[in-house]
Amino acid sequence: MNGQAPQHHAARVEAAIASGQAARSALVASWRRSSRLHHLDPSGRGLPKRLTEAELREARERIAPLLAAAQGAMDRLYQAVGAAGCCVLLADGEGVPVDRRGTPADDATFQSWGLWTGALWSEEHEGTNGIGTCVVEQRPLTIDRDQHFFTRNTLLSCTAVPIYDHDAAFAGVLDVSSCRADRTDAFSSLIALAAGEAAKRIEADMFRRAFAHARIVLTPAADGQCGGLVAVDADDLVIGATRSARVGLGIGLGIAPGRPLRPVPAADLLGGDIARDHLAGGQRAVLQRALLRAGGNVSAAAKALGVSRATLHRKLKRFELNH
């Protein structure tokens, strides 16, 4: 713990809380929640509580779409950081890891610290920590060593990123935790970048799966940030948007997270030029595929696309497609 005795860490935490620093420091605010709201003692020595196997199965079932979408991204992230003594954890919205990747040689160490599936890592149970504090604050963050609330967790370095589902609701946390004492600031920055990119891939995969029958359009990036995704149906209506798209396009205002969008004309939302570029090319390809699959039968193609025969005729005429 960077040379600090357990009693020194606990005293430092209590002194920071008593000094009123919570108003200026997000970290001390988390320590204060841990102490005053959840009545935890920073010198507490008990290991994290665990769900039963049945409870863990139920937790996994509740977030099945997230679990399915996360597999590939977790594998790639682990390949990048696993050899450096890190494990990758996917936690649900309650702060319970439901899936993980780790090097077998490090498994015993992580298990001894409770960094395992089924453990309760919410702030309520574990105080300030990567997963639990990310659940509360819903922003990317790193809790490094003695920034943890509990003395027994001060050998850990944890980087956590929130994940949002297809309706922009908070869904869970992707966490990279290190068991090495030589983790540098530069390496921590690389981990944060890699975890952030992995979380974006998971969100994109969840979104594409949720709107599998719609066309997916990438919205323009703003201020150098990654653009979001919107789903457009066969009638050129935007029926879904990722959180980043809602923020970038301003359609998140007045729309509660977790609720589907009210359909919006794509041209109105995306702007004339952007809409024409993205929608015209994409829609023409969709119509062509539908006609080919239906053997040129307009009625069958319209049924497959979920539009009326008259609507499909208008679109075929618009794009000068023969049938």
Side-chain angles (χ1 to χ4, degrees), residues 55-232:
E55 290 170 336
L56 178 57
R57 282 196 300 272
E58 291 174 1
R60 291 171 61 88
E61 289 170 2
R62 284 193 294 270
I63 62 166
L66 172 58
L67 266 173
Q71 297 305 302
M74 288 185 70
D75 289 340
R76 288 190 291 272
L77 182 58
Y78 169 66
Q79 289 171 2
V81 303
C86 296
C87 71
V88 176
L89 297 146
L90 178 70
D92 64 13
E94 303 298 320
V96 177
V98 294
D99 200 5
R100 74 178 295 278
R101 303 287 188 275
T103 303
D106 294 326
D107 283 354
T109 299
F110 284 121
Q111 272 195 306
S112 70
W113 283 334
L115 274 172
W116 209 259
T117 53
L120 307 184
W121 278 91
S122 65
E123 274 196 352
E124 177 184 358
H125 292 94
E126 284 299 299
T128 305
N129 71 87
I131 293 173
T133 303
C134 185
V135 168
V136 174
E137 300 183 6
Q138 295 187 17
R139 65 179 179 88
L141 52 81
T142 294
I143 302 298
D144 188 37
R145 299 170 185 155
D146 60 4
Q147 292 179 333
H148 285 82
F149 181 78
F150 279 136
T151 300
R152 59 176 165 77
N153 290 332
T154 53
L155 292 175
L156 301 175
S157 292
C158 306
T159 295
V161 183
I163 300 172
Y164 296 88
D165 70 11
H166 64 285
D167 283 327
F170 176 68
V173 174
L174 184 65
D175 174 86
V176 178
S177 290
S178 171
C179 65
R180 301 285 175 86
D182 57 354
R183 176 166 153 169
T184 64
D185 290 343
F187 186 55
S188 293
S189 296
L190 290 175
I191 288 177
L193 181 63
E197 291 300 318
K200 290 174 186 175
R201 286 195 294 270
I202 294 170
E203 290 177 350
D205 195 32
M206 274 199 295
F207 189 78
R208 293 178 188 279
R209 290 170 184 240
F211 295 100
H213 299 296
R215 284 174 292 122
I216 306 300
V217 176
L218 178 67
T219 62
D223 300 326
Q225 299 300 310
C226 180
L229 302 176
V230 297
V232 183

